[in-house]
């Protein structure tokens, strides 16, 4: 039971499909309440609905910004974050400028993160809320050195977590076959080593079983993003 409660408190119960219905989101919230998950993670259109559904419990409302490509402008990401916070979001999961990272333009990566962190937290202060910002690296597209540097950018920019993946990445092998696009033990361990013991690390993308979730936690994750939270807890 202790293990179930520990893992439940780490799960961001996630539904980001374009086809998600109102009833799907309500079910997501009901499950999050039942299992005392850390948050529900939804697209920003559904933030007000989740705020209403979760108003009498401790489950937080998380939403995504610049999702899933990370290629929108810093100004639009900041606006999107503030709009979500004003609508009741407690946590913001933003996607970095992946193209800038791959081109070695880490000053751009850091400034982009800083824009969202600053806007989110300043808006939160006006509402007497501490807004958590998680930074999605989309590790499937990055080599280890780039992952390390992006983690350092997130720390300097004042974010709260680094996060592996959107789950929507489509990396390809040279022969055109699909490559893994989600969280790996290697990447989580690398991120934890880089940011140190007191910074957040969120593993997301392809976390479908209790075994995988436990391996990622052992590697250093202290938050798990998954659409399979119920199955994971029932598998413990």
């Amino acid at each position: 039971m202790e293990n179930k409660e520990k893992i439940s408190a780490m799960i961001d119960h996630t539904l980001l499909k374009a086809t998600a219905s109102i009833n799907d989101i309500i079910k997501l919230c009901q499950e999050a309440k039942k299992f005392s998950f850390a948050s529900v993670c939804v697209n920003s259109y559904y933030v007000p609905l989740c705020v209403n559904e979760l108003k009498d419990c401790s489950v937080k409302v998380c939403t995504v910004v610049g999702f899933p490509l990370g290629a929108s402008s810093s100004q639009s990401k900041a606006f999107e974050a503030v709009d979500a916070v004003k609508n009741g979001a407690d946590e913001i999961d933003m996607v970095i400028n992946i193209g800038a990272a791959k081109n070695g333009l880490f000053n751009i990566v850091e400034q982009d993160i800083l824009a969202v962190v600053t806007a989110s937290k300043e808006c939160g202060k006006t509402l007497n809320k501490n807004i958590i910002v998680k930074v999605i690296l989309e590790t499937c597209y990055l080599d280890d050195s780039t992952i390390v540097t992006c983690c350092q950018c997130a720390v300097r920019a004042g974010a709260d977590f680094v996060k592996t993946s959107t789950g929507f990445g489509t990396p390809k092998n040279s022969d055109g076959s699909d490559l893994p696009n989600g969280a790996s033990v290697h990447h989580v361990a690398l991120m934890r080593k880089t940011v140190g013991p007191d910074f957040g690390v969120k593993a997301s993308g392809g976390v479908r079983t209790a075994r995988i979730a436990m391996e990622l936690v052992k590697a250093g994750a202290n938050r798990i993003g998954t659409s399979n939270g119920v199955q994971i807890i029932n598998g413990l």
Side-chain angles (χ1 to χ4, degrees):
M1 179 61 70
E2 182 180 345
N3 216 22
K4 285 190 176 186
E5 291 175 354
K6 178 183 175 184
I7 300 302
S8 286
M10 294 184 183
I11 289 177
D12 288 348
H13 198 33
T14 303
L15 181 53
L16 296 166
K17 292 180 180 179
T19 53
S21 69
I22 290 173
N23 286 338
D24 292 333
I25 300 297
I26 291 172
K27 180 184 177 186
L28 187 82
C29 292
Q30 291 172 340
E31 291 171 343
K33 285 193 284 187
K34 178 179 177 181
F35 290 94
S36 298
F37 291 145
S39 80
V40 293
C41 186
V42 297
N43 286 300
S44 60
Y45 170 71
Y46 285 119
V47 165
L49 173 61
C50 292
V51 169
N52 185 62
E53 290 294 317
L54 298 169
K55 61 188 175 186
D56 298 322
C57 72
S58 63
V59 179
K60 302 297 185 184
V61 178
C62 173
T63 194
V64 289
V65 162
F67 192 87
L69 303 178
S72 46
S73 71
S74 298
Q75 292 87 344
S76 63
K77 288 180 184 178
F79 180 90
E80 192 178 359
V82 168
D83 183 62
V85 172
K86 287 179 177 178
N87 282 326
D90 304 293
E91 303 187 354
I92 301 292
D93 286 19
M94 66 160 293
V95 186
I96 65 164
N97 187 322
I98 300 164
K102 289 185 68 65
N103 282 292
L105 300 173
F106 297 112
N107 60 321
I108 300 297
V109 173
E110 187 169 335
Q111 289 168 13
D112 187 60
I113 299 169
L114 181 62
V116 174
V117 169
T118 302
S120 301
K121 291 186 178 290
E122 286 185 353
C123 183
K125 283 181 182 177
T126 67
L127 301 169
N128 294 314
K129 292 175 67 173
N130 177 37
I131 304 301
I132 299 297
V133 179
K134 310 189 202 90
V135 178
I136 307 172
L137 306 185
E138 201 68 296
T139 49
C140 63
Y141 292 131
L142 309 177
D143 60 28
D144 283 6
S145 175
T146 303
I147 290 169
V148 167
T149 306
C150 288
C151 285
Q152 293 167 341
C153 289
V155 172
R156 284 194 299 267
D160 302 283
F161 280 77
V162 284
K163 174 179 169 180
T164 57
S165 319
T166 64
F168 287 75
T170 54
K172 302 287 184 181
N173 217 329
S174 56
D175 62 3
S177 59
D178 291 336
L179 289 169
N181 72 342
S184 72
V185 166
H186 170 73
H187 285 151
V188 168
L190 177 65
M191 292 160 71
R192 172 55 68 203
K193 180 181 178 182
T194 302
V195 301
D198 300 322
F199 201 83
V201 174
K202 178 175 173 178
S204 62
V207 187
R208 298 186 178 93
T209 67
R211 179 185 61 80
I212 293 171
M214 292 301 292
E215 287 176 356
L216 293 167
V217 170
K218 187 176 179 181
N222 60 330
R223 195 74 75 90
I224 300 289
T226 179
S227 58
N228 296 280
V230 174
Q231 297 94 307
I232 287 170
I233 298 304
N234 286 336
L236 289 172

